[in-house]
Amino acid sequence: AASPSCPRPRRLQREPRPALLRAAGVGVLVGLSLLGKLTAAFLLPTWIVACLLARLPRRQRILRAAIGLAVAALVSVWFYAWNVVRFGNAVGERIVFSWEALPKVFGFAYWYFLFRSFWGRFGWLNVKAPLGVYVFFLLLSGIALVGLLLLLRDRRWRLPHPSLVIAAGAVVFLLMSVPPFSLVYDAYLQPQGRYLFPALGVITLL
């Protein structure tokens, strides 16, 4: 028995089981999303950012991130591995990387087309909405961006709220994933706005 002058050793703090189950649940959802659409890959870095911003000890943050990523891999990797074995690439489609298209991806026309097709371009992307519709959503997006910047400058916010950082990170990660799709999939270099639909929830939050 420990004497009064010799304190008992502290037990290692274990991660609560419900928290681990939630992390595994996130992994299942991310893995299923990856099976449905490869653009859901933006959820992987978003999950890591969410775990790193959690107000928890470092060990718990790393453990939650690792569990989520491991479960997501278990759910989805088999499908992409099968495609590699069967078709020679992870997505099971003919992929041709286009170096010629690379400069266009970083041009104004590319992102302008992406903006318009996100808000409304129908059929085979050949049916346009009236110009006023795009102007309206452009103004709305600009006002939202200004409001977001003003919120970040508010002195009452010493640091951005974690939810805001996670949402912004999700949008940034998704935007980063769009150009590779255009370079390897799209022979016509049409930046389709539907690639941004997986982040509609966080876009709405922002």
Side-chain angles (χ1 to χ4, degrees):
S3 62
S5 60
C6 181
R8 295 180 180 181
R10 297 177 60 184
R11 293 182 179 180
L12 293 177
Q13 185 178 4
R14 294 184 178 181
E15 180 77 354
R17 182 172 297 180
L20 298 181
L21 292 177
R22 285 195 296 269
V26 171
V28 171
L29 293 176
V30 173
L32 293 175
S33 300
L34 288 170
L35 291 177
K37 197 70 175 178
L38 190 56
T39 48
F42 82 97
L43 293 172
L44 297 173
T46 303
W47 169 244
I48 295 175
V49 170
C51 291
L52 294 179
L53 291 177
R55 295 179 179 178
L56 296 169
R58 180 182 300 178
R59 175 183 175 277
Q60 294 184 14
R61 286 181 287 169
I62 295 175
L63 181 60
R64 292 188 186 189
I67 289 176
L69 295 177
V71 173
L74 289 174
V75 172
S76 61
V77 163
W78 66 270
F79 173 74
Y80 295 103
W82 168 253
N83 284 337
V84 171
V85 174
R86 185 71 182 274
F87 304 106
N89 59 70
V91 296
E93 296 182 9
R94 182 173 177 269
I95 294 179
V96 179
F97 187 87
S98 174
W99 287 105
E100 293 77 11
L102 189 59
K104 297 180 181 179
V105 167
F106 297 99
F108 172 79
Y110 178 91
W111 296 99
Y112 179 58
F113 193 100
L114 179 68
F115 178 85
R116 288 188 299 168
S117 62
F118 174 79
W119 290 110
R121 198 171 174 110
F122 311 99
W124 290 93
L125 297 177
N126 59 334
V127 180
K128 306 175 184 178
L131 179 61
V133 172
Y134 300 119
V135 172
F136 169 78
F137 283 115
L138 180 61
L139 293 175
L140 187 64
S141 301
I143 293 173
L145 179 60
V146 171
L148 182 61
L149 294 176
L150 291 176
L151 180 63
L152 293 177
R153 291 187 60 186
D154 193 332
R155 293 182 179 180
R156 292 174 296 179
W157 289 51
R158 294 184 179 181
L159 289 174
H161 193 276
S163 298
L164 185 63
V165 176
I166 294 169
V171 175
V172 171
F173 293 139
L174 185 59
L175 285 172
M176 292 171 59
S177 72
V178 172
F181 272 87
S182 299
L183 292 172
V184 300
Y185 278 123
D186 202 343
Y188 303 100
L189 196 65
Q190 293 179 339
Q192 302 179 32
R194 64 188 178 92
Y195 292 154
L196 302 178
F197 288 174
L200 282 177
V202 292
I203 292 174
T204 304
L205 175 62
L206 291 174

Coordinates of all heavy atoms in Angstrom, one line a residue, residues 3 22 27 36 40 44 61 65 68 76 80 87 128 130 137 150 173 182 198:
S3 N 2.1 4.8 1.0 CA 2.1 5.6 2.2 C 1.6 7.0 1.9 O 1.6 7.4 0.7 CB 3.6 5.7 2.7 OG 4.4 6.4 1.8
R22 N -17.2 6.9 -32.4 CA -17.6 8.0 -33.3 C -16.5 8.2 -34.4 O -16.8 8.5 -35.6 CB -17.8 9.3 -32.5 CG -19.1 9.4 -31.8 CD -19.4 10.8 -31.3 NE -18.4 11.2 -30.3 CZ -18.5 11.1 -29.0 NH1 -19.5 10.5 -28.5 NH2 -17.5 11.6 -28.2
G27 N -15.0 7.3 -40.1 CA -14.2 6.5 -41.1 C -15.1 5.7 -42.0 O -14.8 5.7 -43.2
G36 N -18.4 5.9 -53.5 CA -19.3 6.6 -54.3 C -18.7 7.6 -55.3 O -19.1 7.6 -56.5
A40 N -14.7 12.7 -52.9 CA -14.8 12.7 -51.5 C -13.5 12.6 -50.8 O -13.4 12.6 -49.5 CB -15.7 11.5 -51.1
L44 N -10.6 13.4 -46.3 CA -9.5 12.8 -45.5 C -8.7 13.9 -44.8 O -8.5 13.9 -43.6 CB -8.7 12.0 -46.4 CG -9.3 10.7 -47.0 CD1 -8.4 10.0 -48.0 CD2 -9.7 9.7 -45.9
R61 N -6.0 13.1 -29.9 CA -6.2 13.7 -31.3 C -5.6 12.8 -32.3 O -6.3 12.5 -33.4 CB -5.6 15.1 -31.3 CG -6.4 16.1 -30.6 CD -5.8 17.5 -30.7 NE -4.6 17.6 -29.9 CZ -3.7 18.6 -30.0 NH1 -3.9 19.6 -30.9 NH2 -2.6 18.6 -29.2
A65 N -7.7 10.6 -35.2 CA -7.4 10.8 -36.6 C -7.0 9.4 -37.3 O -7.5 9.1 -38.4 CB -6.3 11.8 -36.8
G68 N -10.0 7.0 -37.7 CA -10.9 7.4 -38.8 C -10.3 7.1 -40.2 O -10.9 6.5 -41.1
S76 N -12.7 1.3 -48.2 CA -12.7 1.7 -49.6 C -11.5 1.2 -50.4 O -11.6 1.1 -51.6 CB -12.7 3.3 -49.7 OG -11.6 3.8 -49.0
Y80 N -10.4 0.3 -55.0 CA -9.4 0.9 -55.8 C -8.2 -0.1 -56.1 O -7.7 -0.1 -57.2 CB -8.9 2.2 -55.2 CG -10.0 3.2 -55.1 CD1 -10.6 3.5 -53.9 CD2 -10.4 3.9 -56.2 CE1 -11.6 4.4 -53.8 CE2 -11.4 4.8 -56.1 CZ -12.0 5.1 -54.9 OH -13.0 6.0 -54.8
F87 N -8.0 -3.2 -64.2 CA -8.0 -2.2 -65.3 C -6.7 -1.4 -65.4 O -6.5 -0.7 -66.4 CB -9.1 -1.2 -65.1 CG -10.5 -1.8 -65.0 CD1 -11.1 -1.9 -63.7 CD2 -11.1 -2.3 -66.1 CE1 -12.4 -2.4 -63.6 CE2 -12.4 -2.9 -66.0 CZ -13.0 -3.0 -64.8
K128 N -27.3 27.0 -70.8 CA -27.0 28.1 -69.9 C -28.2 28.7 -69.2 O -29.3 28.7 -69.8 CB -26.1 29.1 -70.5 CG -24.9 28.7 -71.3 CD -24.3 29.8 -72.0 CE -23.1 29.3 -72.9 NZ -22.5 30.5 -73.7
P130 N -29.9 32.3 -67.7 CA -29.7 33.7 -68.1 C -28.5 34.3 -67.4 O -28.2 34.0 -66.3 CB -31.1 34.3 -67.7 CG -32.0 33.2 -67.6 CD -31.2 32.0 -67.2
F137 N -25.6 35.3 -58.4 CA -24.9 34.5 -57.5 C -23.4 34.9 -57.3 O -22.8 34.6 -56.3 CB -24.9 33.0 -58.1 CG -26.2 32.3 -57.8 CD1 -27.0 32.0 -58.9 CD2 -26.6 32.0 -56.5 CE1 -28.2 31.3 -58.6 CE2 -27.8 31.4 -56.3 CZ -28.6 31.0 -57.3
L150 N -14.6 39.9 -42.8 CA -14.9 40.8 -41.7 C -15.0 40.1 -40.4 O -14.6 40.6 -39.3 CB -16.2 41.6 -42.0 CG -16.1 42.7 -43.1 CD1 -17.5 43.3 -43.3 CD2 -15.1 43.7 -42.8
F173 N -9.7 22.2 -49.7 CA -9.2 20.9 -50.1 C -10.0 20.4 -51.4 O -9.4 19.8 -52.3 CB -9.4 19.9 -49.0 CG -8.5 20.1 -47.8 CD1 -8.9 20.0 -46.5 CD2 -7.2 20.5 -48.0 CE1 -8.1 20.2 -45.4 CE2 -6.3 20.8 -46.9 CZ -6.8 20.6 -45.6
S182 N -9.8 17.4 -64.0 CA -9.9 17.9 -65.3 C -8.7 17.5 -66.1 O -8.8 17.2 -67.4 CB -9.9 19.5 -65.3 OG -11.1 19.9 -64.6
P198 N -20.0 17.7 -53.3 CA -19.7 17.0 -52.0 C -19.5 18.0 -50.8 O -19.7 17.6 -49.6 CB -18.5 16.2 -52.2 CG -18.5 15.9 -53.6 CD -19.1 17.2 -54.3

